[in-house]
């Protein structure tokens, strides 16, 4: 009888598990299993037990790999020509993935690769691997050569089915990946690495990318030479090709980490990988794999770095911008470090951060600080070449290309979005380089006039970067994290919150994981508790050495320890270290000595090794510069040269962490002590990192600000406008910028600029500060109004007026200059100046220039209805927000009301409109004494001011002290002249006349003191006569509303004074005096003879004079005309 056939399962076993043997019957129907003798079953079981007892590598080499290689050779070993390859029937059936035979062998090879990095290959095992794969290398070379020579159009033209072509491509990609995985295994025999196969793999990759390019292009972007009929592949098939290509490039990354290719092949790989980032449609998995290849080449082949950057810069103008560029942003959540980055920006950052890797140093080795410093120039060279090339390609050579500028703006925005994230120190370095180069460009004096467009764009980019950095600086200053001193007691620290001490203790625990002796190592071992109330076990009894060691653990070092631990926590990829250099997870001491360099390991572009090495080198350069500067100062004080200086604590720390093993192996057991993986919250790490980096940019921010100020004084108006807009944004972010003397002087000069654009932007700078400050005051005003509290109700005006001390100082500083712009020829400038001056009078109601400013505002109110409402609203807030007006407010209101009478008719009755608004708002105030009470207070105050000025004038001097609303005596800055005194008296009396017309009943109590000014002497002055006429008009307006005559006035004396005025006053005065006399007789005395006597004289006189004029042919003497006009006023 035939024995049952014993074969391994067709399905590949999971990684790390042995392949079990199974029995299969020879019965083709499969109806039932053939009975197997007991002896046979026992033999099979013994064989299986023997296999299971062997090491996993031996089991893989004895069964799985030989069988899969045999199947692979049976399927593809006889292929010699392209036609034979395309005619394989299996290719047409596997368009959804690689053929089964190649896929199974690739899985087995992947399993072997994983085992090789965990255990050493013995000599017998290496020979076995060489024997097994040596048989397949010829077939592998043939396949990659055939697939690399395929041509899509030629194949389809010969009638090759699209499925067969696609299957051949997938087969070539899978076989290429198989070879790369095999070659990247640790301890693989050198004879299995064949240069011809590597060359064929490069061609195979290029052929697949040529196929992918039209597949990922929209129909509108495809070349006319490629029609849709020539691309008979579905979207799923295109995705399959892209995924297989990505798998190959990932395997190529590992291959390049272990072996070297020729320079020509590396150039081809670079060209092919870079082309993926410039496809019309993004494929993020493909871009990630291409990034791995490029970063590996860039990091391990220093000679190719300039050519890689140059090739990218040549293609950079072809990048999309605007809405199209958003499609290429990496899909990531908002809390991810990659959020907001496009595929090409992500690539550039990875390339820049891969320049400082400690490839020549063993993992965990002690490195000199000078060695760390030597790695920094390479990174700086790459960053400088990259930023300078971007400016050259996108700005200088394309000064009128809007899309090129948009590309640079998008890139700058993406860099600013991630510059203060711990995972992207390269973005911080690129921004710093951009600022330096932009400042150098703008400060260069030998620029032609045609470069104004370039300089203006460079200024815009610089201002945006500076604005973001300044905003970060302000945010850091508001919540600056300062750790407590080690000498402070635990109780004192807990009062301010235990976060600072917690961060210090975490840093101490992290320092123990390095296995390096630092000044604070002894103190770190004393940390015993691991909870929110950490403490030092020795407490105050710690010796001097321990206390001194803790004193060297500065805040910067604590923050750097925390950053390193956070990067380790965020690590999602594993480093494949040679078995001889692997450090145990429980070994944290320095007893495990590395024997191989980091170059022997395999790690991806996303591993924090890149980030941390770049950070350490960057900080090392800054630390060396600080120490060198401090050393020069010390040498200058001592006057002598010493020996080689000792390294500072920061330099020792950076040297020890450059090759820290915690970034490669799992030695940090402290993260699991509290039951969770993450002890450090990202918010704390981000805050600490942002604080560190922001402080480093202080000098650079000042240099950029000086550059913008210099451009604000440029000869070109467009540059001045752009610079002033940048200053406006900065001042809006931080009002302290305006207090800088260069900024103040620049703003003052630009407010008088010859260009209306510049003047408008300069005024907008002040206006934006004002709006932001008043918004805060408006919020407080709303809260006070909602509370309806008595004290807060009285403070409503102050809250509305107050916009912060900075805004108030700014208005006081620039109000004179702004006044010069209120009559500007540009409408927009006048409007902005009006808004600023309105804020000035509200913030400084006691300023001597308030009257002049309010008069300017009154003149501008005729421009438009909007400005009129703004000006009237300002006057209402200035004078009618309190029930108790001040004497100064009365004087200011009087001047404005008097001036409004000579204004155009569009101004209207100013006082009537203000009183209407006042009557509407006062009703909504709590505990207000009412509208009538407030008006009486106003009229009484104005009358008192008028009387007081008359008394002061009679005493031969003007008032030197006034009384404010709070009863505080305040000296006048200067004495008033006679003209100013008369102007104020006239304004006060005109305002009383306006109050009489608007609120006549409220002036009835003031009639008796007013009638005193009707008694004039024979030789009275013109001013006194004018006052008498005004008093007559006030009486005429008020007398019709008399309700109680008793005690209203001394009517006999008033009638006598009016009769005297009628006899002595000029014609105009006669009219007002007679009108007043008529109203006194009508509403008060009823003494009609006072009027009849004038009629008896006036009627005959006018009749006689008219008759004389008719007799003389219509002519009369001048004296007769004057007398006739006088009598005509009486009759009227």
């Amino acid at each position: 009888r035939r024995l049952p056939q014993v074969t391994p399962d067709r399905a590949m076993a999971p990684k790390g598990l042995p392949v079990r043997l199974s029995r299969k019957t020879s019965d083709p129907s499969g109806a039932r299993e053939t009975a197997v003798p007991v002896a046979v079953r026992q033999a099979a079981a013994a064989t299986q037990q023997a296999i299971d007892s062997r090491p996993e590598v031996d089991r893989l080499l004895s069964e799985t790999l030989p069988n899969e290689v045999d199947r692979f050779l049976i399927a593809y070993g006889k292929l010699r020509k392209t036609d034979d390859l395309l005619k394989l029937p299996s290719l047409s059936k596997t368009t959804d993935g690689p053929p089964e035979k190649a896929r199974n062998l690739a899985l087995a090879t992947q399993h072997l690769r994983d085992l090789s990095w965990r255990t050493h290959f013995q000599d017998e095992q290496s020979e076995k691997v060489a024997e097994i794969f040596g048989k397949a290398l010829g077939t592998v070379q043939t396949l990659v050569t055939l697939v690399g020579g395929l041509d899509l159009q030629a194949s389809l033209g010969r009638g090759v089915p699209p499925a067969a072509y696609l299957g051949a491509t997938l087969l070539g990609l899978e076989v290429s990946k198989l070879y790369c995985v095999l070659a990247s295994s640790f301890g693989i025999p050198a004879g299995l690495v064949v240069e011809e196969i590597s060359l064929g793999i490069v061609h195979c990759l290029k052929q697949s990318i040529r196929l992918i390019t039209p597949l990922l292009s929209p129909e509108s972007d495809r070349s006319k030479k490629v029609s849709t009929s020539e691309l008979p592949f579905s979207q799923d098939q295109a995705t399959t090709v892209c995924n297989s290509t990505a798998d190959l490039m990932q395997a190529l990354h590992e291959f390049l980490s272990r072996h070297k290719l020729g320079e020509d092949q590396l150039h081809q790989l670079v060209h092919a990988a870079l082309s993926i980032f410039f496809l019309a449609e993004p494929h993020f998995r493909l871009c990630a794999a291409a990034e791995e290849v490029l970063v590996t080449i860039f990091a391990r082949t220093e000679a190719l770095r300039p050519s890689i950057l140059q090739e990218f810069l040549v293609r950079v103008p072809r990048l999309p911008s605007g809405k199209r560029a958003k499609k290429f942003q990496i899909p990531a959540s908002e809390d991810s470090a990659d959020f907001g980055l496009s595929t090409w920006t992500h690539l550039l950052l990875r390339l820049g951060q891969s320049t400082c890797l400690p490839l020549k140093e063993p993992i965990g080795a002690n490195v000199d600080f000078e060695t760390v410093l030597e790695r920094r120039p390479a990174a700086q060279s790459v960053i400088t070449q990259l930023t300078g090339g971007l400016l050259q390609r996108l700005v200088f050579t394309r000064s009128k290309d809007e899309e090129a500028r948009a590309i640079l703006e998008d890139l700058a925005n993406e860099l600013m979005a991630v510059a203060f994230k711990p995972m992207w120190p390269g973005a911080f370095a690129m921004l710093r380089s951009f600022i330096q180069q932009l400042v150098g460009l703008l400060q260069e004096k030998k620029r032609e006039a045609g470069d104004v467009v370039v300089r203006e764009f460079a200024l815009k980019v610089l201002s945006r970067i500076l604005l973001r950095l300044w905003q970060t600086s302000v945010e850091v200053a508001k919540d600056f994290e300062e750790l407590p001193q080690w000498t402070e007691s635990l109780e004192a620290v807990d009062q301010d919150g235990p976060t600072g001490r917690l961060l210090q203790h975490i840093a101490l625990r992290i320092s123990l994981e390095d296995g390096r002796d630092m000044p604070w190592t002894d103190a770190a071992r004393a940390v015993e508790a691991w909870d929110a109330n950490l403490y030092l076990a020795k407490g105050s009894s710690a010796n001097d050495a321990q206390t001194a060691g803790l004193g060297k653990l500065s805040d910067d070092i604590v923050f750097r320890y925390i950053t390193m631990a956070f990067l380790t926590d965020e690590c999602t990829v594993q480093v494949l270290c040679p078995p001889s250099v692997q450090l145990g997870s429980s070994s944290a001491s320095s007893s495990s000595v590395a024997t191989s360099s980091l170059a022997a390991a395999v790690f991806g572009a996303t591993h924090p090794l890149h980030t941390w090495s770049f950070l350490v080198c960057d900080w090392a350069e800054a630390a060396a510069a600080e120490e060198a500067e401090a050393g020069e100062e010390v040498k200058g004080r001592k006057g002598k040269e010493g020996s080689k200086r000792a390294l500072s604590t920061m330099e020792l720390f950076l040297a020890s962490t450059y090759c820290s093993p915690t970034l490669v192996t799992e030695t940090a057991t402290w993260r699991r002590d509290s039951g969770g993986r993450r002890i450090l919250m990202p918010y704390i790490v981000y805050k600490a990192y942002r604080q560190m980096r922001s402080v480093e940019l202080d000098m650079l921010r000042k240099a950029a600000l000086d550059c913008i100020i210099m451009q604000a004084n440029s000869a070109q108006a467009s540059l001045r406008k752009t610079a002033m807009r940048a200053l406006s944004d900065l001042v809006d972010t931080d009002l302290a910028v305006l207090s800088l003397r260069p900024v103040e002087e620049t703003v003052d000069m630009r407010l008088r600029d010859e260009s209306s654009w510049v003047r408008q932007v300069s005024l907008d700078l002040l206006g934006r500060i004002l709006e932001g400050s008043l918004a805060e005051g408006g919020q407080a005003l709303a809260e006070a109004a909602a509370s309806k509290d008595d004290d807060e109700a009285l403070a409503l005006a102050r809250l509305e007026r107050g916009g912060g001390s900075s805004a108030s100082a700014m208005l006081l500083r620039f109000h004179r200059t702004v006044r010069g712009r209120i009559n500007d020829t540009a409408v927009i400038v006048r409007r902005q100046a009006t808004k600023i001056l309105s804020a000035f009078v509200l913030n400084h109601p006691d300023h001597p220039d308030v009257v002049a400013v309010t008069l300017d505002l009154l003149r501008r109110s005729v421009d438009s209805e909007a400005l009129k409402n703004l000006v009237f609203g300002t006057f209402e807030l200035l004078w009618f927000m309190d029930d108790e007006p001040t004497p100064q407010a009365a004087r200011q209101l009087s001047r404005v009301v008097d001036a409004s009478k000579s204004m155009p008719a569009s101004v209207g009755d100013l006082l009537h409109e203000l009183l209407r608004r006042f009557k509407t708002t006062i009703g909504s105030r709590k505990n207000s004494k009412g509208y009538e009470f407030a008006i009486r207070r106003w009229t009484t105050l104005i009358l008192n001011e008028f009387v007081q000025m008359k008394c002061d004038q009679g005493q031969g001097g003007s008032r030197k002290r006034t009384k404010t609303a709070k009863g505080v005596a305040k000296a006048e800055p200067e004495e008033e002249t006679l003209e100013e005194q008369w102007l104020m008296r006239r304004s006060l009396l005109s305002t009383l006349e306006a109050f009489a017309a608007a609120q006549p009943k409220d002036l009835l109590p003031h009639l008796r003191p007013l009638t005193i000014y009707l008694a004039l002497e024979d030789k009275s002055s013109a001013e006194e006569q004018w006052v008498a006429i005004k008093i007559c008009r006030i009486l005429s307006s008020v007398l019709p509303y008399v309700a109680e005559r008793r005690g209203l006035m001394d009517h006999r004396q008033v009638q006598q004074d009016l009769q005297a005025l009628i006899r002595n006053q000029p014609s105009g005065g006669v009219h007002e005096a007679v009108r007043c006399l008529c109203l006194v007789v009508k509403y008060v005395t009823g003494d009609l003879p006072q009027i009849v006597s004038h009629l008896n004289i006036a009627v005959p006189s006018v009749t006689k004079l008219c008759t004389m004029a008719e007799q003389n042919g219509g002519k009369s003497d001048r004296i007769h005309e004057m007398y006739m006009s006088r009598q005509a006023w009486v009759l009227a």
Side-chain angles (χ1 to χ4, degrees), residues 816 840 844-852 888 973:
R816 294 184 182 275
F840 166 74
H844 302 278
D846 299 331
H847 196 275
D849 292 341
V850 167
V851 173
Q888 189 169 18

Side-chain angles (χ1 to χ4, degrees), residues 706-735:
D706 293 340
C707 178
I708 291 178
I709 293 174
M710 185 179 72
Q711 298 306 312
N713 299 305
S714 174
Q716 288 82 18
S718 60
L719 289 179
R720 296 198 302 271
K721 181 187 72 171
T722 304
M724 290 305 300
R725 196 176 299 279
L727 285 177
S728 176
D729 295 336
L730 286 176
V731 173
D732 193 20
T733 301
D734 185 9
L735 284 176

Side-chain angles (χ1 to χ4, degrees), residues 3 63 450 508 531 656 719 789 885 931 948 1012 1016 1033 1094:
L3 295 176
E63 294 293 338
L508 287 174
D531 52 28
S656 66
L719 289 179
D789 185 72
Y931 175 73
Q948 185 66 31
I1012 298 177
L1016 297 181
R1033 292 179 180 177
H1094 289 286

Side-chain angles (χ1 to χ4, degrees), residues 19 171 213 217 324 369 383 420 493 502 584 592 605 710 1030 1056:
V19 179
L171 174 61
T213 301
S217 299
R324 289 182 58 233
F369 184 73
I383 296 297
F420 292 96
V493 174
L502 176 64
S592 298
M710 185 179 72
K1030 282 293 182 182
Q1056 294 178 9

